[in-house]
Amino acid sequence: MTNAGSHAKTILDTRGSQSRKGRMQSRQLPPRQRRTKWPRSLQLPGGRIVEVRAREPASDGGARPSCLFAEARALFEGGELALYEGDVAVEAASLSLAEFHALRAIATRLGWLDEETIEIECRNCEAAIEARPCESLPLGPFVDAELIDPEIDVTLDTGDAHPIEPIRLPKGGRAATVRLGPVTLGQALPLHRALAKPALRVTPSVVRAMGVRALGDERDPAAIARALARCTDAQFGAVTDLFLAAHYPPRLAAPIVCPSCGSRNDVDAPYDREFEPEGVLEGEAPRRGEADEAFPSLDAFDAFAREVAEPLLDRAPGPEIALVIDGDVPACDDGGEPLMGSYTPGHEGDSHGPTRSPELTLYYRTFAAMWREDGPYDWEGEVRDTIEHELEHHVYALEGHDPKDEEERDEIAREAERVVGKKALVRAGASAFAADLRDFWKRTWILWIVGLIVVVISVLASR
């Protein structure tokens, strides 16, 4: 379908589609391609520029500690890779957790660490998608020092006290906030060791390794450990969600495109993390299953939309516009976002096809998904706004130029730049041009040779 314009809205944090409960069992894929050479330099979360150099492993073979992420730790802690900041060696233990996890993702992307396949559910069409997230992680922003985005290149502020569901304290009272501090890879070792065991036992050393500085007014790690060991799963999940937000910038995600519907699904990369995302971070709307009110049925939505649209369509200039309420899988824009609405211009019939009226389409499932994922909202107002938005595209289409469509395409391009990187897109464009040029030569070289022979013969004959 060709749209003169489209009204897209992010219907959820796209990574919310990767529910880890009920996913298929991870399985080892065939061996990855051979290891790829590391870039000359990399920018890590926080801004530090490092160089990764290959080296001979330590004489003990880089003995792996029995802990979570043991292979990644061994790779940098006396293993095959050394880190330098300028000419100064960087001890792996001194890395912040965010830096380590970025290196872990990049090492996997380059084939230095193995990656298992996962299965996610497409947020748009609910199709099962198999993927290896790190394999699709864009490296451009790391290679070109473009980790400057104010939304996806930041982590949770560890200087603030963050609200949580109140947790009962051993000495009485309840803590309604938690304060986290920075954690290095070396400091996190007790946590990683504890997580390698069948069941996590929350001890004072684990509390310190998680960077939990205070639970309410309580600062004693032993007391905090007792409180976290006795709290509910939901309460503990609120704390671990904050831990993940503090040590994994949103940049560590891979855009996985659904082969069925074209929707972009952002999946954690690396996928395996210290904790499973469990609950709701501060300030977030209620998640799936928490809304008390059901979203209107397709019939009710259809009836309301037609009631709102009728007077607006009657006043619209040009040919009559057909209103379509689509209850199937929504179409996606060029950036992979499910559409709320779209406008398709009409055309006159000819010998190849009949006349077709302009169409304004509303995608019911996108509206319903927003309600399901983010909680109740003013869906009636959104319907009105979407209809009015698509009618603007109609007016511009009659005029022969649609600046609103250009604005939307520019926004998609800006989103691609922030995810893939500006310089990486330029390089990709240059590579595509070179590939087209090579393909053109392969297909036409014989013509150029014949032409050259004809020119040579003509020159010789004229002498």
mmCIF file of all heavy atoms in Angstrom, residues 147-168:
data_model
loop_
_atom_site.group_PDB
_atom_site.id
_atom_site.type_symbol
_atom_site.label_atom_id
_atom_site.label_comp_id
_atom_site.label_asym_id
_atom_site.label_seq_id
_atom_site.Cartn_x
_atom_site.Cartn_y
_atom_site.Cartn_z
ATOM 1 N N LEU A 147 27.912 8.235 21.014
ATOM 2 C CA LEU A 147 27.043 7.888 22.148
ATOM 3 C C LEU A 147 26.660 9.157 22.901
ATOM 4 O O LEU A 147 27.060 9.395 24.038
ATOM 5 C CB LEU A 147 27.754 6.908 23.089
ATOM 6 C CG LEU A 147 28.256 5.607 22.472
ATOM 7 C CD1 LEU A 147 28.821 4.702 23.562
ATOM 8 C CD2 LEU A 147 27.149 4.883 21.725
ATOM 9 N N ILE A 148 25.851 9.983 22.239
ATOM 10 C CA ILE A 148 25.519 11.299 22.788
ATOM 11 C C ILE A 148 24.023 11.524 22.891
ATOM 12 O O ILE A 148 23.591 12.617 23.239
ATOM 13 C CB ILE A 148 26.142 12.413 21.918
ATOM 14 C CG1 ILE A 148 25.671 12.290 20.464
ATOM 15 C CG2 ILE A 148 27.667 12.379 21.996
ATOM 16 C CD1 ILE A 148 26.122 13.419 19.560
ATOM 17 N N ASP A 149 23.232 10.496 22.598
ATOM 18 C CA ASP A 149 21.779 10.686 22.606
ATOM 19 C C ASP A 149 21.291 10.831 24.048
ATOM 20 O O ASP A 149 21.630 10.023 24.916
ATOM 21 C CB ASP A 149 21.082 9.491 21.951
ATOM 22 C CG ASP A 149 19.614 9.754 21.713
ATOM 23 O OD1 ASP A 149 18.814 9.478 22.625
ATOM 24 O OD2 ASP A 149 19.269 10.258 20.630
ATOM 25 N N PRO A 150 20.477 11.866 24.340
ATOM 26 C CA PRO A 150 20.038 12.106 25.719
ATOM 27 C C PRO A 150 19.027 11.098 26.249
ATOM 28 O O PRO A 150 18.698 11.134 27.437
ATOM 29 C CB PRO A 150 19.411 13.505 25.644
ATOM 30 C CG PRO A 150 18.951 13.636 24.217
ATOM 31 C CD PRO A 150 19.978 12.891 23.406
ATOM 32 N N GLU A 151 18.541 10.201 25.398
ATOM 33 C CA GLU A 151 17.557 9.215 25.848
ATOM 34 C C GLU A 151 18.130 7.807 25.870
ATOM 35 O O GLU A 151 17.926 7.067 26.842
ATOM 36 C CB GLU A 151 16.317 9.261 24.943
ATOM 37 C CG GLU A 151 15.529 10.556 25.043
ATOM 38 C CD GLU A 151 14.309 10.550 24.142
ATOM 39 O OE1 GLU A 151 14.106 9.549 23.415
ATOM 40 O OE2 GLU A 151 13.566 11.542 24.143
ATOM 41 N N ILE A 152 18.834 7.402 24.827
ATOM 42 C CA ILE A 152 19.255 6.006 24.751
ATOM 43 C C ILE A 152 20.711 5.790 25.148
ATOM 44 O O ILE A 152 21.172 4.656 25.180
ATOM 45 C CB ILE A 152 18.994 5.423 23.349
ATOM 46 C CG1 ILE A 152 19.823 6.129 22.276
ATOM 47 C CG2 ILE A 152 17.521 5.493 23.007
ATOM 48 C CD1 ILE A 152 19.671 5.511 20.885
ATOM 49 N N ASP A 153 21.422 6.874 25.466
ATOM 50 C CA ASP A 153 22.812 6.729 25.895
ATOM 51 C C ASP A 153 23.008 7.130 27.349
ATOM 52 O O ASP A 153 24.103 7.509 27.762
ATOM 53 C CB ASP A 153 23.744 7.556 24.999
ATOM 54 C CG ASP A 153 23.883 6.946 23.612
ATOM 55 O OD1 ASP A 153 24.041 5.717 23.529
ATOM 56 O OD2 ASP A 153 23.805 7.691 22.610
ATOM 57 N N VAL A 154 21.951 7.043 28.118
ATOM 58 C CA VAL A 154 22.027 7.389 29.539
ATOM 59 C C VAL A 154 21.561 6.204 30.373
ATOM 60 O O VAL A 154 20.842 5.326 29.887
ATOM 61 C CB VAL A 154 21.163 8.625 29.864
ATOM 62 C CG1 VAL A 154 21.675 9.846 29.123
ATOM 63 C CG2 VAL A 154 19.694 8.376 29.512
ATOM 64 N N THR A 155 21.991 6.187 31.606
ATOM 65 C CA THR A 155 21.537 5.180 32.559
ATOM 66 C C THR A 155 20.866 5.877 33.727
ATOM 67 O O THR A 155 20.914 7.109 33.855
ATOM 68 C CB THR A 155 22.717 4.332 33.071
ATOM 69 O OG1 THR A 155 23.748 5.208 33.552
ATOM 70 C CG2 THR A 155 23.280 3.458 31.959
ATOM 71 N N LEU A 156 20.247 5.098 34.574
ATOM 72 C CA LEU A 156 19.552 5.632 35.736
ATOM 73 C C LEU A 156 20.516 6.438 36.604
ATOM 74 O O LEU A 156 21.655 6.014 36.830
ATOM 75 C CB LEU A 156 18.967 4.479 36.549
ATOM 76 C CG LEU A 156 18.077 4.851 37.735
ATOM 77 C CD1 LEU A 156 16.701 5.279 37.254
ATOM 78 C CD2 LEU A 156 17.953 3.654 38.683
ATOM 79 N N ASP A 157 20.076 7.579 37.074
ATOM 80 C CA ASP A 157 20.909 8.428 37.939
ATOM 81 C C ASP A 157 21.076 7.753 39.295
ATOM 82 O O ASP A 157 20.117 7.593 40.055
ATOM 83 C CB ASP A 157 20.256 9.798 38.098
ATOM 84 C CG ASP A 157 21.164 10.794 38.815
ATOM 85 O OD1 ASP A 157 22.186 10.359 39.388
ATOM 86 O OD2 ASP A 157 20.854 11.987 38.811
ATOM 87 N N THR A 158 22.308 7.333 39.578
ATOM 88 C CA THR A 158 22.542 6.639 40.844
ATOM 89 C C THR A 158 22.702 7.610 42.011
ATOM 90 O O THR A 158 22.887 7.181 43.150
ATOM 91 C CB THR A 158 23.800 5.760 40.754
ATOM 92 O OG1 THR A 158 24.905 6.560 40.314
ATOM 93 C CG2 THR A 158 23.588 4.615 39.765
ATOM 94 N N GLY A 159 22.621 8.890 41.742
ATOM 95 C CA GLY A 159 22.717 9.857 42.838
ATOM 96 C C GLY A 159 21.391 10.148 43.497
ATOM 97 O O GLY A 159 21.345 10.800 44.554
ATOM 98 N N ASP A 160 20.296 9.693 42.900
ATOM 99 C CA ASP A 160 18.962 9.996 43.425
ATOM 100 C C ASP A 160 18.384 8.819 44.191
ATOM 101 O O ASP A 160 18.761 7.662 43.975
ATOM 102 C CB ASP A 160 18.003 10.352 42.274
ATOM 103 C CG ASP A 160 18.376 11.654 41.595
ATOM 104 O OD1 ASP A 160 19.096 12.462 42.222
ATOM 105 O OD2 ASP A 160 17.963 11.861 40.447
ATOM 106 N N ALA A 161 17.441 9.129 45.073
ATOM 107 C CA ALA A 161 16.642 8.092 45.727
ATOM 108 C C ALA A 161 15.428 7.832 44.854
ATOM 109 O O ALA A 161 14.696 8.759 44.507
ATOM 110 C CB ALA A 161 16.222 8.549 47.121
ATOM 111 N N HIS A 162 15.199 6.578 44.492
ATOM 112 C CA HIS A 162 14.130 6.241 43.566
ATOM 113 C C HIS A 162 12.984 5.554 44.305
ATOM 114 O O HIS A 162 13.218 4.648 45.114
ATOM 115 C CB HIS A 162 14.675 5.336 42.462
ATOM 116 C CG HIS A 162 15.755 5.984 41.653
ATOM 117 N ND1 HIS A 162 15.495 6.837 40.613
ATOM 118 C CD2 HIS A 162 17.112 5.920 41.766
ATOM 119 C CE1 HIS A 162 16.640 7.270 40.099
ATOM 120 N NE2 HIS A 162 17.628 6.726 40.786
ATOM 121 N N PRO A 163 11.748 5.983 44.026
ATOM 122 C CA PRO A 163 10.605 5.399 44.733
ATOM 123 C C PRO A 163 10.361 3.957 44.337
ATOM 124 O O PRO A 163 10.521 3.581 43.171
ATOM 125 C CB PRO A 163 9.430 6.292 44.308
ATOM 126 C CG PRO A 163 9.860 6.917 43.014
ATOM 127 C CD PRO A 163 11.347 7.056 43.099
ATOM 128 N N ILE A 164 9.988 3.134 45.309
ATOM 129 C CA ILE A 164 9.666 1.728 45.096
ATOM 130 C C ILE A 164 8.452 1.388 45.938
ATOM 131 O O ILE A 164 8.023 2.185 46.792
ATOM 132 C CB ILE A 164 10.838 0.798 45.495
ATOM 133 C CG1 ILE A 164 11.238 1.049 46.954
ATOM 134 C CG2 ILE A 164 12.015 0.952 44.561
ATOM 135 C CD1 ILE A 164 12.236 0.059 47.500
ATOM 136 N N GLU A 165 7.876 0.224 45.695
ATOM 137 C CA GLU A 165 6.821 -0.266 46.572
ATOM 138 C C GLU A 165 7.420 -0.468 47.964
ATOM 139 O O GLU A 165 8.481 -1.074 48.094
ATOM 140 C CB GLU A 165 6.268 -1.587 46.045
ATOM 141 C CG GLU A 165 5.132 -2.144 46.878
ATOM 142 C CD GLU A 165 4.647 -3.486 46.367
ATOM 143 O OE1 GLU A 165 5.015 -3.852 45.228
ATOM 144 O OE2 GLU A 165 3.915 -4.171 47.106
ATOM 145 N N PRO A 166 6.801 0.087 49.009
ATOM 146 C CA PRO A 166 7.395 0.031 50.356
ATOM 147 C C PRO A 166 7.781 -1.386 50.784
ATOM 148 O O PRO A 166 7.018 -2.339 50.618
ATOM 149 C CB PRO A 166 6.294 0.601 51.245
ATOM 150 C CG PRO A 166 5.524 1.521 50.343
ATOM 151 C CD PRO A 166 5.525 0.832 49.005
ATOM 152 N N ILE A 167 9.014 -1.497 51.303
ATOM 153 C CA ILE A 167 9.553 -2.769 51.784
ATOM 154 C C ILE A 167 9.733 -2.686 53.296
ATOM 155 O O ILE A 167 10.291 -1.704 53.812
ATOM 156 C CB ILE A 167 10.898 -3.074 51.101
ATOM 157 C CG1 ILE A 167 10.697 -3.284 49.587
ATOM 158 C CG2 ILE A 167 11.565 -4.298 51.719
ATOM 159 C CD1 ILE A 167 11.989 -3.502 48.822
ATOM 160 N N ARG A 168 9.262 -3.707 54.008
ATOM 161 C CA ARG A 168 9.384 -3.721 55.462
ATOM 162 C C ARG A 168 10.858 -3.881 55.862
ATOM 163 O O ARG A 168 11.577 -4.720 55.314
ATOM 164 C CB ARG A 168 8.558 -4.863 56.051
ATOM 165 C CG ARG A 168 8.494 -4.846 57.581
ATOM 166 C CD ARG A 168 7.672 -6.033 58.091
ATOM 167 N NE ARG A 168 6.317 -5.992 57.589
ATOM 168 C CZ ARG A 168 5.351 -5.262 58.151
ATOM 169 N NH1 ARG A 168 5.614 -4.512 59.204
ATOM 170 N NH2 ARG A 168 4.132 -5.283 57.647
#
